[in-house]
């Protein structure tokens, strides 16, 4: 009995060893990601006010000359730039953070999965950055011009710096995530969860869903909702296009393999 018990314990220890090793590696990679974010944050902190000024420029450019933002809370002049700088540090460190995540899961993937995952990872990062850039350079000027010109003439626009920051961060995140739609559509088609034909037939529902998402993620006005919903739908069509191309290549490859088998 003692011998069987002794043999059972080593087996349990052997089964627990890989799990412990994975947890240690996960902790190590999380620590690396956090350290990089902190290093970037410390490097940017001296420019915190300049970063906030840059983010506020789309609104400030449309305000009357001499206008300025206000701080309705005592700590806002410090906390708002601090919060923005931390978000920017995470934003800049995203490639490294995702690289750490990739390095953690890559050993468990097959070669064909690795070959596909790398382009998807790079495309996801580029699309997220593209969504944020689209929000800053296209959406913000149009949106703030609408807001500043539709109010009564005797109302002075004096935006609180903290409220403005929360507003733009929400839009940055919304557009960054929305620009990931081609990747999501492509993965659904690639995994076989759905087909190009099925998604094509659901275009009216997808368009309606895009406007519903735009309504939930943006301020309650038609312009900002449309500026999010329309790009979302166009990106959905881009995902369908890539899905068709991948399916076509897959069919050609299968046909070539069948011909080789017949020969």
């Amino acid at each position: 009995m003692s011998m069987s018990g002794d043999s059972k314990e080593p087996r349990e220890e052997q089964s627990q060893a890989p799990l412990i090793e994975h947890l240690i590696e996960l902790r190590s990679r999380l620590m690396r990601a956090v350290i990089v974010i902190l290093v970037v944050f410390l490097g940017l902190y001296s420019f915190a006010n300049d970063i906030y000024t840059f983010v506020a420029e789309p609104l400030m450019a449309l305000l009357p000359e001499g206008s300025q933002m206000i701080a309705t809370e005592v700590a806002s002049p410090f906390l708002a730039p601090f919060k923005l700088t931390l978000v920017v540090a995470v934003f800049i460190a995203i490639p490294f953070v995702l690289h750490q995540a990739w390095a953690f899961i890559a050993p468990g993937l097959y070669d064909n999965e690795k070959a596909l995952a790398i382009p998807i990872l790079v495309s996801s990062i580029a699309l997220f950055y593209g969504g944020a850039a689209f929000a800053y350079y296209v959406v913000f000027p149009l949106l703030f011009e609408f807001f500043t010109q539709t109010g009564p003439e005797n109302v002075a626009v004096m935006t609180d710096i903290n409220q403005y920051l929360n507003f733009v961060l929400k839009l940055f995140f919304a557009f960054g995530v929305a620009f990931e739609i081609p990747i999501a559509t492509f993965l659904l088609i690639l995994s076989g969860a759905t087909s190009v034909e099925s998604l094509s037939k659901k275009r009216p529902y997808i368009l309606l869903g895009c406007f519903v998402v735009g309504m939930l993620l943006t301020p309650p006005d038609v312009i900002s909702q449309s500026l999010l919903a329309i790009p979302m739908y166009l990106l959905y069509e881009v995902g369908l296009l890539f899905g068709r191309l991948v399916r076509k290549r897959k069919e050609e490859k299968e046909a070539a393999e069948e011909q080789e088998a017949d020969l």
Side-chain angles (χ1 to χ4, degrees), residues 181 203-219 221-234:
I181 286 180
R203 278 192 175 96
Y205 304 102
I206 298 297
L207 181 60
L208 177 61
C210 289
F211 276 93
V212 171
V213 172
M215 178 184 66
L216 295 175
L217 295 181
T218 60
D221 66 277
V222 177
I223 293 181
S224 57
Q225 293 171 12
S226 300
L227 288 174
L228 179 58
I230 294 174
M232 284 176 64
Y233 179 76
L234 294 177

Side-chain angles (χ1 to χ4, degrees), residues 142-157:
L142 295 174
L143 196 60
F144 295 146
E145 183 177 7
F146 172 76
F147 286 157
T148 55
Q149 293 184 0
T150 55
E153 294 182 358
N154 59 345
V155 174
V157 179

Side-chain angles (χ1 to χ4, degrees), residues 119-125 127 179-189 235 239:
I120 290 177
L121 184 63
V122 174
S123 300
S124 299
I125 296 172
L127 285 170
F179 270 55
E180 300 294 332
I181 286 180
I183 301 297
T185 305
F186 175 76
L187 290 176
L188 286 173
I189 296 172
L235 290 167

Side-chain angles (χ1 to χ4, degrees), residues 245-259:
L245 294 175
V246 170
R247 186 188 64 178
K248 183 179 179 181
R249 289 185 178 180
K250 186 177 180 181
E251 291 175 351
E252 291 176 351
K253 183 178 179 181
E254 290 177 351
E257 290 177 351
E258 289 180 358
Q259 289 180 357

Side-chain angles (χ1 to χ4, degrees), residues 36-53:
V36 169
I37 291 173
L38 289 177
V39 169
V40 175
F41 171 76
L42 293 175
L44 293 175
Y45 183 70
S46 59
F47 305 98
N49 292 334
D50 296 328
I51 295 173
Y52 191 94
T53 300

